[in-house]
Amino acid sequence: QVQLVESGGGTVQAGGSLRLSCLVPGATYSSGCLGWVRQAPGKEREGISIIYTGTGHTDYTDSVKGRFTISYDNAKNTLYLQMNSLKPEDTAMYTCAADRIGACLDVGSPYDFTRWGQGAQVTVSS
């Protein structure tokens, strides 16, 4: 199955911003559940955000609310994660995901997707 293609990531100072992009191959993803997860060294994978492209419904984990914004450009088949006011604790490998198993109502489990990006490292220095 065709996987997702990520771009973006990198190193930024605390307080800075980064944007991650994720190309979702195949037919226009006009009605489905996409999301972002992250995993820091020695920590469990964490769900960050989801978006239901049919209605634009989004949800975020508490630690990123007000700082991160998830969006989907239907014309470009591309999922984005805009990250502002970054903190050292945001340092992790970020992975995009598609085809949520179950309802797309909240962030939920970080494992309930069937397609994954290759991951992008985000490092925030203090």
Side-chain angles (χ1 to χ4, degrees), residues 3-7 20-25 34-38 45 49 70 79-81 93-98 113-120:
Q3 299 300 309
L4 315 180
V5 182
E6 287 187 55
S7 59
L20 302 178
S21 301
C22 175
L23 178 65
V24 185
L34 304 171
W36 291 93
V37 304
R38 68 183 179 186
R45 181 182 294 185
S49 183
I70 190 171
L79 175 69
Y80 299 100
L81 184 68
M93 180 70 74
Y94 286 70
T95 305
C96 59
F113 294 90
T114 61
R115 286 194 289 165
W116 301 90
Q118 78 276 21

Side-chain angles (χ1 to χ4, degrees), residues 26-122:
T28 300
Y29 209 80
S30 59
S31 181
C33 193
L34 304 171
W36 291 93
V37 304
R38 68 183 179 186
Q39 188 165 18
K43 293 189 176 181
E44 292 288 324
R45 181 182 294 185
E46 175 188 26
I48 304 171
S49 183
I50 56 95
I51 182 168
Y52 181 66
T53 61
T55 61
H57 169 70
T58 61
D59 190 44
Y60 299 88
T61 192
D62 286 346
S63 62
V64 307
K65 281 181 181 176
R67 300 188 298 123
F68 290 12
T69 302
I70 190 171
S71 62
Y72 179 71
D73 187 327
N74 201 45
K76 297 181 179 180
N77 286 18
T78 301
L79 175 69
Y80 299 100
L81 184 68
Q82 178 66 43
M83 303 181 291
N84 298 328
S85 302
L86 283 161
K87 304 175 181 179
E89 52 263 44
D90 293 317
T91 295
M93 180 70 74
Y94 286 70
T95 305
C96 59
D99 303 336
R100 175 76 168 269
I101 300 168
C104 193
L105 299 176
D106 54 34
V107 170
S109 168
Y111 297 98
D112 288 345
F113 294 90
T114 61
R115 286 194 289 165
W116 301 90
Q118 78 276 21
Q121 179 65 39
V122 172

